[in-house]
Amino acid sequence: MEKHNVHDFEEPGENLKHKIEDEDDADKLLCGYGACTPRWLQGFHNAKCLLLVLGICAFIQSFVVNAIFPVGLSTLERRFKMTSTHTGIISSWYDFAVLLVVFPVCHWGNNGHKGRWIGWGGVIMALGSLICALPHWMVDIYHPDGNSLANQTDFGQCVNRDDPECAGKPHSSWFNPYFWMFILGQTLHGVGSTPLFSIGTTYMDENVSQKASPVYLAIHAVLTSFGPVIGVFAGGFLLNLYDDFDRVDRIPMERSDPRWVGAWWVGFIISSISALMIAFPILAFARELPEAKRHRAKDVNQCHAANGDVNAKAPRDLTKLPACVWKILRNPTFLVCIFVGIFESIIINGFAAFMPKILETLLSTNPTLASYLSSVVIFAAATGVMVGGTIIRQLKLQVGGMLKMIIVCHFFALIFTTGLLSHCPQREFVGINLGYEDLSIERAHDFSVSSKCNENCHCKMEWNPVCDRNTGHMYYSACHAGCTAMTKNQGSTEWSGCGCLTSNNTFHNLIHGIKEHPEVLNQGYCHQDCGYREYILMVTLFVTVVASFASGIPTQQIMLRVVPFDQRTLALGVNWTFVRLLGFIPGGILFGVIIDTACLEWGESCGKATSCLVYDPFKLSWTITGLAIVCKLLSILATIIGYMTYRPSDLDNAGSIQTVDSHCHTALHLVVNDDRLPEQAIIHASYGHMSS
């Protein structure tokens, strides 16, 4: 057979034509602002710089949404008298805002300038963070006892005082103006971040090679996960600062006081300034990078047979949009990715929103330490996405292999999820889960923090727990313990003359055979020794998160590969719609309700319940573990179905798959995972095309 050079098959003047077109495109693909495109700026117009600025933007988004908000949830509940259901709605409202705008953003953003959409989204995010910080200056200066410390003779002891009157009617739980301020801020957070995580993913994917895409997207995910890592440490540090440090001359309480409220609002100010600063570099990028077309010419088509037309375009006419969406939803592999995303997002959003609060309850610790422990979980998430991206690249997995990988990851996560059942023992609060006679209170019966030993104290229902370090018992307040005298001893507050402590210790010493101890109570919580349980919970939680997030990159890659190239942004919009509507939104609310159902004692203001004061760790751990196991089992089942129903668009199981440049309709036949040099592969493909 006569040998031919592949260049002989090109029409005369074709090379010159392509060269002129490429030069014209290069002139349009300049980095800058309008006519201001200096030559030195073009050195930053590449995929690595694009990855950096998009990663920083995602870092800021996750810093505020996935760290500053969750770390401060307990503080916000205490400061603005909200329940976990309220804060769960605030957390989920971000996803509701995404749901409202994801389709318009994906439709017009895909056909428009992706960089500008993402940049202006950053400006909107900055405005949202600023609005979330405004309640700090709208509300009065924080006074934990509600009386401006005006009465210096009444410091919470047992004394004959008049019954407190409600000075003003508190805001109804659903008409709390601060609640709606956070809703507005979260709305702008959701609207502003939608371009980043919808068209931003395809913006990055279409500007790098298909082989490099998993690593780039994994690095982007790691940069995103660093936001919560830094955020929980920053949030924990800021909670050590007093809420009104900018408005008071003297801090009225110690940091160890259970009523302490930290500077939750500073993180939002930092996020607002940072989001505004990173928006400007993103706005400078062109529609696509100069090397984007060259990468797309080598892409391998792995579309499912249901969407096998690689030349299919996303519709510009809105009237044709439903038909295109319906065709995408008929793709069973893509549909499986949606179902897996829904089940996983229920768990992820619930834990992301309430992880510090959950660890605070299960490990019987304070909000600051719980926020630091949450960083371990976020490190696990970053490790998981890097492991997922590395496995795909090293093993050169195609869609079928990635589906197997997802099954294995979820199986390991399912096993280690049971580690959540290892938690610290319940704190013993007299009058809440322990009687004044040192007997456990059955939840089926009513209970009260009032008793004969404090009936003449006329105690106010103000949460200010005190601890009996000899027995580990705690009381609602020094007044409810019948204490009459307060002293300061080496920076700590001690109470004496406690009538309830005498009666309670009498029963305790008789039952446990313990000698008499000094009748002194200390301000704050008792230290809880968890022993090995704390390590079991954190290690198993780390492994669970690594396995869960390792499956995220293959799921994302499958969604990008099984639909036509030009419909990927629309496909991601469809996925975001269902995942947000059925996963993230109900996930945050569901976890908020679950946490509220585990409450043992509610705070009270003018006859209305405010935030929860004491939780039952046993009930909370079993409930969230059961929910996680059900979601993991459903994810595994859906992935198995997806593996069984996946059919590549060709007939020989992706052995030889057609690839087409999205702008140039010259077909090439490439072999998946081809080890030959590109020139050799193209020549071989050309001969194969001639013989056919």
Side-chain angles (χ1 to χ4, degrees):
M1 181 177 176
E2 184 181 358
K3 294 185 178 180
H4 298 275
N5 192 312
V6 67
H7 300 290
D8 295 338
F9 298 100
E10 295 182 349
E11 298 180 4
E14 190 72 18
N15 287 336
L16 180 60
K17 180 181 178 181
H18 286 311
K19 185 175 181 180
I20 294 174
E21 290 178 353
D22 290 342
E23 289 177 354
D24 291 340
D25 289 341
D27 291 338
K28 299 176 182 177
L29 301 178
L30 295 177
C31 182
Y33 305 93
C36 181
T37 55
R39 179 170 297 181
W40 63 267
L41 196 58
Q42 309 314 310
F44 300 97
H45 201 216
N46 53 61
K48 293 181 180 178
C49 290
L50 178 63
L51 172 64
L52 179 63
V53 294
L54 291 182
I56 294 175
C57 188
F59 169 90
I60 296 169
Q61 181 273 341
S62 59
F63 176 88
V64 62
V65 174
N66 298 326
I68 296 301
F69 247 121
V71 167
L73 281 184
S74 297
T75 301
L76 294 179
E77 291 176 9
R78 189 180 305 115
R79 183 69 172 97
F80 300 104
K81 302 187 185 305
M82 294 187 291
T83 67
S84 293
T85 302
H86 290 109
T87 52
I89 292 174
I90 293 173
S91 176
S92 294
W93 200 266
Y94 165 84
D95 302 292
F96 182 73
V98 171
L99 180 64
L100 292 178
V101 300
V102 65
F103 262 115
V105 168
C106 287
H107 177 71
W108 286 303
N110 186 52
N111 298 325
H113 194 306
K114 293 184 175 68
R116 291 176 184 171
W117 276 84
I118 298 170
W120 285 112
V123 175
I124 295 175
M125 276 200 301
L127 180 60
S129 295
L130 179 62
I131 289 177
C132 286
L134 288 181
H136 168 69
W137 292 280
M138 296 171 59
V139 71
D140 294 333
I141 293 177
Y142 177 59
H143 298 296
D145 56 4
N147 59 9
S148 314
L149 298 177
N151 187 0
Q152 298 296 329
T153 61
D154 184 359
F155 40 84
Q157 77 276 29
C158 178
V159 67
N160 188 9
R161 62 170 65 85
D162 296 331
D163 292 333
E165 296 181 358
C166 194
K169 186 177 180 181
H171 295 290
S172 176
S173 57
W174 299 110
F175 292 96
N176 188 328
Y178 310 112
F179 169 77
W180 291 105
M181 286 292 293
F182 289 117
I183 288 291
L184 177 58
Q186 282 288 70
T187 301
L188 295 178
H189 280 152
V191 172
S193 62
T194 299
L196 176 63
F197 291 105
S198 56
I199 60 178
T201 302
T202 55
Y203 192 36
M204 175 60 65
D205 185 70
E206 68 191 18
N207 283 293
V208 297
S209 66
Q210 199 174 75
K211 183 179 180 180
S213 177
V215 176
Y216 269 79
L217 293 179
I219 294 174
H220 181 268
V222 170
L223 290 174
T224 304
S225 64
F226 280 163
V229 172
I230 304 300
V232 293
F233 280 104
F237 172 77
L238 293 174
L239 290 182
N240 284 322
L241 302 177
Y242 188 63
D243 179 35
D244 292 307
F245 71 87
D246 59 325
R247 299 194 288 178
V248 297
D249 298 326
R250 182 182 63 87
I251 297 176
M253 67 180 71
E254 300 169 1
R255 192 176 297 140
S256 59
D257 195 311
R259 301 168 298 169
W260 175 271
V261 171
W264 56 270
W265 53 275
V266 178
F268 290 110
I269 297 296
I270 296 174
S271 302
S272 180
I273 297 173
S274 303
L276 189 61
M277 292 176 62
I278 196 60
F280 289 101
I282 297 175
L283 289 168
F285 279 85
R287 285 177 176 268
E288 63 180 21
L289 300 181
E291 65 269 20
K293 184 176 292 187
R294 175 171 55 85
H295 291 313
R296 287 200 296 271
K298 299 179 182 180
D299 283 352
V300 176
N301 170 39
Q302 301 174 55
C303 290
H304 192 281
N307 296 116
D309 182 8
V310 294
N311 294 316
K313 300 288 183 178
R316 294 180 180 271
D317 187 359
L318 283 176
T319 59
K320 298 180 181 179
L321 189 62
C324 188
V325 171
W326 174 246
K327 187 175 182 180
I328 291 174
L329 290 176
R330 289 172 55 197
N331 185 329
T333 308
F334 183 81
L335 204 59
V336 162
C337 290
I338 291 179
F339 280 116
V340 172
I342 290 172
F343 301 138
E344 288 301 296
S345 60
I346 291 175
I347 307 173
I348 291 174
N349 195 41
F351 276 110
F354 293 101
M355 179 57 74
K357 191 177 184 70
I358 290 173
L359 291 181
E360 179 185 346
T361 302
L362 297 185
L363 300 180
S364 298
T365 185
N366 57 68
T368 302
L369 182 57
S371 68
Y372 292 148
L373 292 174
S374 299
S375 65
V376 176
V377 178
I378 300 169
F379 274 118
T383 303
V385 294
M386 283 304 297
V387 168
T390 303
I391 290 176
I392 293 174
R393 183 178 178 88
Q394 294 299 321
L395 301 183
K396 300 179 180 179
L397 297 179
Q398 301 301 326
V399 172
M402 286 188 281
L403 287 169
K404 294 179 182 178
M405 176 182 168
I406 294 172
I407 295 173
V408 173
C409 289
H410 286 316
F411 180 75
F412 274 101
L414 174 65
I415 295 175
F416 285 93
T417 298
T418 55
L420 289 171
L421 298 177
S422 178
H423 58 82
C424 294
Q426 167 71 55
R427 283 170 167 163
E428 295 181 330
F429 284 91
V430 176
I432 297 178
N433 60 349
L434 188 71
Y436 279 87
E437 294 78 22
D438 199 30
L439 299 175
S440 296
I441 296 177
E442 297 292 337
R443 302 307 304 159
H445 302 286
D446 194 12
F447 59 92
S448 175
V449 292
S450 298
S451 179
K452 290 183 178 180
C453 60
N454 59 30
E455 61 183 357
N456 296 322
C457 295
H458 304 277
C459 300
K460 296 181 286 187
M461 294 301 294
E462 292 174 357
W463 178 247
N464 188 15
V466 290
C467 166
D468 180 2
R469 293 179 178 176
N470 298 317
T471 62
H473 298 166
M474 285 168 279
Y475 294 82
Y476 195 95
S477 68
C479 180
H480 288 88
C483 301
T484 57
M486 180 185 72
T487 57
K488 296 284 186 178
N489 184 13
Q490 297 180 350
S492 63
T493 303
E494 293 183 351
W495 296 86
S496 58
C498 306
C500 297
L501 180 61
T502 304
S503 61
N504 188 262
N505 272 344
T506 301
F507 284 98
H508 183 85
N509 296 336
L510 289 174
I511 294 173
H512 300 283
I514 300 177
K515 297 180 180 180
E516 294 290 337
H517 294 285
E519 298 177 359
V520 176
L521 295 179
N522 297 87
Q523 192 77 45
Y525 292 118
C526 293
H527 174 70
Q528 193 84 352
D529 184 15
C530 296
Y532 64 89
R533 297 182 183 91
E534 181 177 356
Y535 301 102
I536 292 177
L537 190 149
M538 295 305 300
V539 170
T540 55
L541 188 59
F542 184 90
V543 176
T544 301
V545 174
V546 169
S548 297
F549 277 81
S551 68
I553 295 298
T555 303
Q556 185 184 56
Q557 286 293 305
I558 291 172
M559 286 190 293
L560 293 173
R561 303 293 168 245
V562 299
V563 296
F565 179 87
D566 201 51
Q567 294 182 4
R568 294 181 304 169
T569 300
L570 179 61
L572 288 179
V574 173
N575 172 69
W576 269 53
T577 299
F578 282 98
V579 169
R580 300 282 163 172
L581 180 63
L582 303 177
F584 279 94
I585 293 176
I589 299 174
L590 181 60
F591 266 72
V593 173
I594 287 175
I595 293 174
D596 278 345
T597 57
C599 183
L600 293 176
E601 177 70 9
W602 288 92
E604 188 175 306
S605 176
C606 296
K608 290 185 177 292
T610 55
S611 58
C612 184
L613 304 176
V614 183
Y615 290 97
D616 182 354
F618 179 83
K619 184 176 182 179
L620 179 62
S621 65
W622 274 95
T623 307
I624 60 177
T625 301
L627 178 63
I629 289 175
V630 170
C631 290
K632 288 295 179 184
L633 288 174
L634 292 174
S635 296
I636 293 173
L637 178 61
T639 311
I640 292 174
I641 295 174
Y643 179 75
M644 296 172 62
T645 58
Y646 173 63
R647 289 187 299 113
S649 55
D650 65 332
L651 297 179
D652 58 348
N653 254 352
S656 175
I657 300 177
Q658 188 183 41
T659 179
V660 176
D661 188 337
S662 61
H663 295 292
C664 175
H665 300 295
T666 304
L668 301 174
H669 291 273
L670 301 179
V671 177
V672 177
N673 300 330
D674 197 347
D675 294 325
R676 295 167 298 177
L677 295 174
E679 294 81 2
Q680 296 173 335
I682 293 173
I683 293 173
H684 179 82
S686 299
Y687 279 117
H689 184 66
M690 287 178 57
S691 61
S692 62

